[in-house]
Amino acid sequence: MNEKKWGSIMEAPRIKVNPPGPISSGMLKEQDKLETASRSYTKIFRTAFDYGRNATLVDMDGNIFIDLFAGVSVINMGHGNPDVIEAIKHQTDKLTHITEVPTEARISFLKTLDSTLPGKMRGRSKIFTTVTGGDACELAIQMARFKTGKKVIVAFGGSYHGIAGNIVSATANPHYREYSGNDYINTYHLPYPYPYRFPQKVEPEEMSKIVVEDLENLITDPYAGTGGIAGVIVEPVQGEGGYIVPPKNFLPLLREVTEKHNVPLIVDEVQTGIGRTGKIWASEHYNITPDIMTISKSVGGGIPISMIAYNQDYDKDLPPGFHLGTYRANPLGLAAGNVILQKLKNESFMSDVQKKGQYVIDRLIKLKEKNKYIGDVRGLGFMIGVEFVRNKETKEPYGEIAQKIKAEMFNRGVLIHTCGHYANVIRFMAPLTIEQQLLEKALDIFVEVVTNISKSN
Ligand SMILES: Cc1ncc(COP(=O)(O)O)c(C=O)c1O
């Protein structure tokens, strides 16, 4: 454990040359020639990075950035975390790929993961490994379909579960298409109880009831048009949809109704998991036990691994080859994941995350009171969103100002990203290990940038 000596570069942000500097510009041009024009992040963060230290990133021209982005909430433990790197290096010397056959890394990881699972999942679940978050969600849906023999999935407006998929329809063996494939168009989207924008003007707890009653009707009414529900997939806090925290009773009600009707509840913890919300899993905040839970992003510390945890009863009669692939959890990612999950089991680490998150929320609420364009500040743990509107009465979304703020933050040396239905939400998802002092600095810059841009509007 040599983490004490490691940390962010505390002089950050330091902009020596306006990004992209000459070296980065050259590299961006080379990339343009060789890689698809459909890249997104190079349009937002116009530079080339050299290395990272905890919540700081150094670009090729020597600029030092504060990272409130964490590679889309993947680097929860900070860039170059020595314990994580040591585990990966150790595993690299032993074995870098073997697929599903047991290794020490695999068995240790599985045991550690099981010991963290929420509610009644612990000790009663099976793990099925995949590669990306989207992949895990696909598998979760396959599993629900297998369990129920039905096709239709209920999801929620604003949800994001990945975009890969349906490639299976090009694979010739129909066996692989039985529970996945094009039938995904059989998805119903119910409104997510988004307290700031719910269509009916009712109390938050009432929103959950309205949504869950609609769901129950879809499940039980033979003329609802679904032909039967195979499963419900939900993000416990919506990520790409706008860092939306649902009312407290939403997940418990959802759990109650799905359990009552034997409909598998898939909780997508790809973004909310691995400590992001101040507990290892967001499900823990709501005391619910998912039937199937998807896990990815930060679990591999940057090595792409993903998986589902599911009720072990579903294993009965599950055919081999139900879901396949060459990469069934890379040993490097598993070694990293084992260390990461062990760290998260430390209660003082998690309470520190909650404190940092609360600090950010408190400062943003103060800013909101003085600023005419901030309509809403919300968050759970260190998953925090600020929603911009043109007018606090009409709540007309103001995506342009959020984009301007993001660009100016980058110019000032802070990486931050947007999300939301109208790309009008700025989200805070720094590494959970960010130093308080650096976090304060980043917030000072954010307050200044938002205030200046708001004045000039
Ligand atoms: C909640 C959630 N599920 C699934 C995904 C898809 O993960 P991936 O991009 O690894 O396919 C994401 C990605 O942001 C996500 O936030």
Side-chain angles (χ1 to χ4, degrees):
M1 296 275 163
N2 42 4
E3 211 178 62
K4 275 202 181 103
K5 291 191 213 119
W6 159 85
S8 300
I9 303 167
M10 295 307 282
E11 62 178 300
R14 186 190 70 187
I15 297 295
K16 270 179 26 184
V17 43
N18 283 342
I23 302 174
S24 299
S25 292
M27 289 170 75
L28 283 163
K29 271 192 201 126
E30 299 218 62
Q31 192 187 28
D32 275 344
K33 261 193 260 161
L34 296 164
E35 259 192 76
T36 175
S38 169
R39 300 184 318 271
S40 313
Y41 291 106
T42 45
K43 296 191 179 86
I44 306 168
F45 306 129
R46 293 211 46 78
T47 194
F49 287 113
D50 189 14
Y51 65 94
R53 286 287 174 277
N54 195 13
T56 44
L57 280 163
V58 181
D59 78 4
M60 294 299 293
D61 299 280
N63 293 319
I64 310 172
F65 292 83
I66 300 179
D67 183 10
L68 302 183
F69 169 66
V72 212
S73 198
V74 167
I75 306 296
N76 285 8
M77 288 296 150
H79 296 281
N81 186 306
D83 295 331
V84 177
I85 299 295
E86 199 178 292
I88 295 173
K89 278 188 179 159
H90 178 73
Q91 185 57 42
T92 307
D93 285 341
K94 292 179 125 188
L95 194 66
T96 56
H97 172 73
I98 189 63
T99 200
E100 286 171 340
V101 176
T103 54
E104 257 179 48
R106 198 171 192 99
I107 301 299
S108 305
F109 173 85
L110 291 170
K111 284 184 180 165
T112 307
L113 175 60
D114 184 69
S115 72
T116 71
L117 291 176
K120 295 184 204 124
M121 287 196 104
R122 199 170 304 169
R124 295 192 198 136
S125 299
K126 287 293 192 85
I127 307 298
F128 205 147
T129 62
T130 43
V131 183
T132 67
D135 205 3
C137 291
E138 289 246 4
L139 174 56
I141 286 170
Q142 262 178 262
M143 189 65 82
R145 286 175 162 184
F146 168 76
K147 175 69 188 156
T148 58
K150 296 184 175 132
K151 292 280 185 194
V152 172
I153 295 294
V154 174
F156 292 91
S159 63
Y160 186 86
H161 304 291
I163 60 162
N166 283 336
I167 185 61
V168 71
S169 44
T171 297
N173 187 342
H175 165 72
Y176 295 121
R177 266 181 267 145
E178 203 171 338
Y179 299 104
S180 58
N182 282 331
D183 292 329
Y184 279 25
I185 49 172
N186 278 331
T187 304
Y188 273 66
H189 284 90
L190 287 175
Y192 194 75
Y194 180 174
Y196 186 63
R197 290 195 183 276
F198 198 70
Q200 281 102 313
K201 302 283 160 268
V202 292
E203 289 301 309
E205 306 258 306
E206 200 52 37
M207 296 172 190
S208 308
K209 288 184 192 156
I210 292 172
V211 173
V212 175
E213 270 168 23
D214 267 3
L215 172 67
E216 189 160 24
N217 184 54
L218 273 186
I219 297 171
T220 54
D221 179 355
Y223 267 31
T226 64
I229 304 291
V232 175
I233 184 164
V234 67
E235 291 163 86
V237 175
Q238 276 196 344
E240 302 307 301
Y243 275 33
I244 301 162
V245 186
K248 278 204 177 78
N249 63 343
F250 177 54
L251 271 299
L253 279 178
L254 202 54
R255 179 63 287 186
E256 197 183 305
V257 163
T258 47
E259 195 166 304
K260 181 168 147 199
H261 297 289
N262 283 322
V263 172
L265 178 64
I266 304 165
V267 179
D268 182 355
E269 292 259 16
V270 166
Q271 191 154 172
T272 49
I274 322 296
R276 176 53 58 195
T277 67
K279 294 196 184 277
I280 302 183
W281 312 108
S283 297
E284 294 172 76
H285 289 283
Y286 305 103
N287 287 321
I288 58 155
T289 299
D291 295 305
I292 308 171
M293 189 171 94
T294 58
I295 304 165
S296 188
K297 286 200 187 276
S298 198
V299 71
I303 311 283
I305 58 169
S306 68
M307 63 227 46
I308 63 168
Y310 62 96
N311 185 330
Q312 64 186 13
D313 296 346
Y314 290 15
D315 238 20
K316 194 172 169 300
D317 301 328
L318 199 62
F322 182 72
H323 190 85
L324 275 184
T326 307
Y327 301 106
R328 301 286 89 185
N330 183 279
L332 308 183
L334 293 170
N338 187 30
V339 168
I340 291 168
L341 291 170
Q342 295 284 3
K343 282 177 173 294
L344 294 178
K345 286 172 78 172
N346 178 341
E347 277 178 25
S348 81
F349 181 88
M350 293 315 305
S351 75
D352 193 48
V353 171
Q354 290 177 5
K355 271 189 219 140
K356 284 179 196 165
Q358 195 55 51
Y359 168 79
V360 177
I361 290 194
D362 290 345
R363 288 214 47 189
L364 294 174
I365 286 175
K366 274 194 202 128
L367 179 63
K368 175 187 163 208
E369 281 157 12
K370 285 186 260 164
N371 186 285
K372 61 178 178 176
Y373 298 122
I374 297 183
D376 195 29
V377 170
R378 55 196 177 234
L380 191 63
F382 209 137
M383 186 164 181
I384 298 156
V386 187
E387 177 154 358
F388 287 86
V389 289
R390 284 182 191 277
N391 178 312
K392 289 195 188 188
E393 289 297 307
T394 64
K395 300 186 179 176
E396 185 188 344
Y398 199 0
E400 293 85 346
I401 201 168
Q403 300 306 321
K404 261 195 209 170
I405 292 164
K406 175 165 73 175
E408 184 54 16
M409 289 293 283
F410 179 70
N411 293 338
R412 295 277 303 267
V414 184
L415 262 59
I416 199 159
H417 195 24
T418 43
C419 58
H421 293 214
Y422 311 94
N424 63 329
V425 178
I426 292 203
R427 52 174 148 170
F428 288 77
M429 51 174 164
L432 306 176
T433 47
I434 189 171
E435 295 82 356
Q436 178 66 21
Q437 203 188 333
L438 201 68
L439 183 60
E440 287 175 18
K441 225 195 272 188
L443 259 297
D444 289 346
I445 297 171
F446 184 73
V447 169
E448 212 176 290
V449 167
V450 171
T451 309
N452 289 344
I453 291 185
S454 302
K455 269 189 205 145
S456 66
N457 256 48

